[in-house]
């Protein structure tokens, strides 16, 4: 990704009272002007989501090195954050592109100069196909999209017949699994799709794709066996695609839960073809943030990756000894893969904390969190509770600007991450 002027221009955006969490004094200032005042997290309003700069830098380095050591490229899934500044961090660390999920997300990425995009989805909307056709006029732009049915291929051909196409659209055949998400159901069906793509006048057969994360939700023997079997079948499809395709190929898999199995199963094929004719791409999107919930429990890199996001909410009610209500809820924090977990309490966000032992968040309303304990909770009205969060994919969409603290014990805010949901 070349540094696009649009990314630099984000520092000139003016902050508004509508930007939740920001101090009142930020309103009317540009991002650059506000950061020049060296703000501290303590002055931000609750509820709040904040990122740790040191953890972000370390995680970007760790996951990039992990991939390189195993012969994998990294094209992290950008939908996790929809933040071009965070995409740029990983591109600067060595990622070879960005994965996205919708045509609108692709358009955002192109606005910020992303030159290599993998659309981990089908693309059948005529407007989306027309947009991509126009972007392919840029010789430095590489784009790959998935197909999982003949109907999808036919819809793409119809859409592309209406536009000027500078070059064929690179297509990856997606393998699915019974009970899984999208994708051809089985290697034989995937082979038939590969043959159909190879015969298309507007599409180029460019590889094999899949998502193993939908086959398990834990690291039980049953889940691990299902994932390994699926990845082995992906290699079967790759062999078929390789026999039909003309030109460089991609094999891509890997969320953030079973990336070790992807590396393990693909390792013999990577070692057997060191000529670079096939690119082996991991799409782990949550690895930059990690978390204190779902990924902490399932990622093989937990303990090496560090949680880089934290929530803050203030005590607004203490109606019973073992019940406290906080001012953050579903509008502020993720809850689809586990509720927030209390870490500590302090006078303000980012201040020195004391631990909260034995307490847990048991429910969320739109703007309240129920913090309960069997014993009396030692919390006063107005105190701030820090929260470990689960699942970064549903954390960022609730915030337009997210402060990044320096980290390493410093609560100085050094960046405001802008999201584009």
């Amino acid at each position: 990704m070349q540094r696009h002027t649009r990314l630099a221009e984000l520092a000139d955006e003016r902050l508004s009272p509508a930007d939740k969490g920001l101090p009142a004094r930020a309103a009317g200032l540009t991002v650059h002007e506000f950061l020049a005042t060296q703000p501290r997290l303590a002055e931000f309003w609750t509820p709040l989501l904040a990122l740790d700069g040191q953890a972000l830098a370390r995680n970007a380095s760790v996951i990039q090195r992990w991939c390189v050591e195993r012969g994998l490229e990294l094209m992290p899934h950008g939908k996790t954050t929809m933040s071009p500044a965070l995409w740029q961090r990983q591109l600067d660390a060595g990622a070879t592109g960005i994965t996205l999920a919708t045509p609108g997300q692709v358009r955002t990425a192109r606005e910020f100069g992303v030159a290599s995009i993998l659309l981990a989805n089908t693309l059948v909307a005529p407007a989306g196909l027309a947009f991509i056709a126009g972007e392919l006029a840029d010789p430095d732009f590489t784009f790959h999209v998935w197909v999982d049915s003949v109907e999808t291929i036919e819809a793409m051909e119809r859409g592309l017949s209406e536009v000027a196409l500078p070059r064929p659209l690179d297509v990856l055949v997606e393998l699915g699994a019974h009970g899984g998400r999208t994708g051809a159901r089985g290697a034989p069906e995937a082979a038939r799709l590969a043959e159909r793509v190879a015969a298309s006048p507007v599409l180029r057969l460019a590889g094999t794709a899949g998502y193993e994360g939908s086959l398990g939700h834990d690291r039980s023997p049953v889940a691990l066996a299902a994932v390994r079997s699926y990845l082995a079948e992906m290699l079967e499809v790759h062999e078929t695609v390789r026999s039909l395709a003309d030109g460089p190929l991609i094999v891509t898999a890997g969320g953030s839960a079973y990336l070790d199995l992807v590396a393990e199963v693909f390792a013999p094929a990577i070692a057997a073809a060191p000529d670079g004719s096939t690119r082996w791409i991991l799409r782990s999107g949550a690895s930059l943030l990690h978390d204190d919930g779902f990924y902490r429990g399932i990622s093989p890199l937990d303990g090496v990756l560090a949680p880089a996001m934290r929530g803050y909410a203030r005590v607004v009610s203490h109606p019973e000894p073992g019940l406290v209500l906080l001012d953050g809820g579903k509008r502020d924090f993720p809850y689809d893969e586990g509720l927030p977990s209390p870490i500590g309490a302090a006078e303000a966000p980012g201040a020195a904390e004391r631990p909260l032992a034995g307490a847990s968040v048991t429910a969320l309303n739109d703007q309240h969190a129920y913090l309960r304990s069997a014993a009396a909770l030692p919390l006063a009205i107005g105190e701030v509770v820090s929260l470990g969060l689960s699942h970064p994919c549903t954390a960022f969409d609730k915030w337009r600007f997210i402060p990044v603290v320096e980290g390493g014990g410093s609560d100085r805010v050094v960046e405001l991450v802008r999201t584009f949901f």
Side-chain angles (χ1 to χ4, degrees), residues 31 83 144 148-149 188 247 255 307 369:
V31 171
S83 169
H144 293 80
D148 70 350
S149 71

Side-chain angles (χ1 to χ4, degrees), residues 123-138:
L123 177 61
V124 296
L129 288 164
F131 173 78
I132 292 300
E135 294 299 297
L136 290 176
D138 178 356

Side-chain angles (χ1 to χ4, degrees), residues 4 6 87 100 104-117 131-132 134-143:
H4 195 279
R6 182 75 175 91
W87 300 344
L100 294 162
Q105 292 173 2
V106 172
R107 187 172 63 181
T108 297
R110 288 299 286 160
E111 174 70 9
F112 285 91
V114 179
S116 178
I117 295 174
F131 173 78
I132 292 300
E135 294 299 297
L136 290 176
D138 178 356
D140 296 323
F141 177 47
T142 61
F143 179 79

Side-chain angles (χ1 to χ4, degrees), residues 33-401:
E33 290 168 344
F34 176 61
L35 294 176
T37 69
Q38 299 192 0
R40 299 281 175 172
L41 198 66
E43 62 178 307
F44 281 66
W45 291 22
T46 58
L48 181 66
L49 175 68
L51 306 179
D52 183 308
Q54 280 195 4
L56 288 172
R58 181 185 178 197
N59 290 348
S61 175
V62 164
I63 189 61
Q64 187 63 44
R65 184 171 63 251
W66 190 92
C67 288
V68 169
E69 289 172 352
R70 289 157 180 80
L72 298 165
E73 293 182 37
L74 178 65
M75 291 183 68
H77 214 317
K79 70 171 175 58
T80 300
T81 65
M82 281 307 295
S83 169
L86 293 182
W87 300 344
Q88 186 66 57
R89 281 178 181 256
Q90 293 199 265
L91 291 163
D92 288 345
T96 55
I98 296 296
T99 300
L100 294 162
T102 70
Q105 292 173 2
V106 172
R107 187 172 63 181
T108 297
R110 288 299 286 160
E111 174 70 9
F112 285 91
V114 179
S116 178
I117 295 174
L118 172 62
L119 181 61
N121 209 337
T122 59
L123 177 61
V124 296
L129 288 164
F131 173 78
I132 292 300
E135 294 299 297
L136 290 176
D138 178 356
D140 296 323
F141 177 47
T142 61
F143 179 79
H144 293 80
V145 63
W146 297 8
V147 296
D148 70 350
S149 71
V150 171
E151 290 81 5
T152 297
I153 296 168
E154 292 172 345
M156 295 178 73
E157 290 175 335
R158 286 193 300 273
L160 293 173
S161 70
E162 303 294 327
V163 299
L165 188 63
R167 49 191 159 105
L169 186 57
D170 286 340
V171 167
L172 309 181
V173 174
E174 181 192 2
L175 177 69
H178 292 289
R181 201 166 65 183
T182 53
R185 284 344 196 210
E189 177 60 24
R192 286 191 288 273
L193 293 179
E195 292 172 355
R196 178 63 176 80
V197 173
S200 174
V202 293
L203 307 178
R204 185 186 83 84
L205 183 61
T208 308
Y211 175 57
E212 76 290 344
S214 64
L215 302 179
H217 211 70
D218 55 34
R219 295 190 76 85
S220 66
V222 171
L224 298 182
V227 170
R228 283 193 179 95
S229 176
Y230 170 77
L231 294 169
E233 194 172 21
M234 277 193 68
L235 294 180
E236 293 180 35
V237 176
H238 171 57
E239 288 302 313
T240 299
V241 168
R242 188 165 64 171
S243 69
L244 294 168
D246 179 20
L249 297 178
I250 281 175
V251 177
T252 176
S256 298
Y258 302 111
L259 64 168
D260 56 329
L261 301 188
V262 173
E264 171 194 313
V265 175
F266 288 180
I270 294 173
D275 59 358
S277 59
T278 298
R279 299 167 57 195
W280 304 84
I281 296 175
L282 188 75
R283 305 188 308 275
S284 175
S287 57
L288 180 65
L289 282 307
H290 200 44
D291 71 11
D292 281 295
F294 177 69
Y295 288 112
R296 166 160 277 182
I298 199 171
S299 171
L301 299 184
D302 181 49
V304 183
L305 298 174
M309 62 177 184
R310 184 167 289 192
Y312 295 90
R314 194 174 301 272
V315 177
V316 292
S317 179
H318 201 332
E320 302 169 13
L323 173 63
V324 156
L325 281 301
L326 308 177
D327 67 353
K330 294 179 180 179
R331 304 295 190 192
D332 313 295
F333 307 127
Y335 56 93
D336 60 313
E337 290 288 358
L339 295 172
S341 56
I343 295 174
E347 293 182 357
E353 297 180 347
R354 65 181 191 280
L356 274 179
S360 62
V361 173
T362 60
L364 294 180
N365 294 153
D366 286 352
Q367 296 296 170
H368 289 93
Y370 292 72
L371 183 64
R372 295 183 184 272
S373 175
L377 285 163
L379 289 167
I381 298 293
E383 285 193 293
V384 172
V385 175
S386 64
L387 300 164
L389 303 176
S390 179
H391 202 205
C393 298
T394 49
F396 279 64
D397 60 308
K398 299 165 176 59
W399 300 86
R400 183 167 178 259
F401 285 105

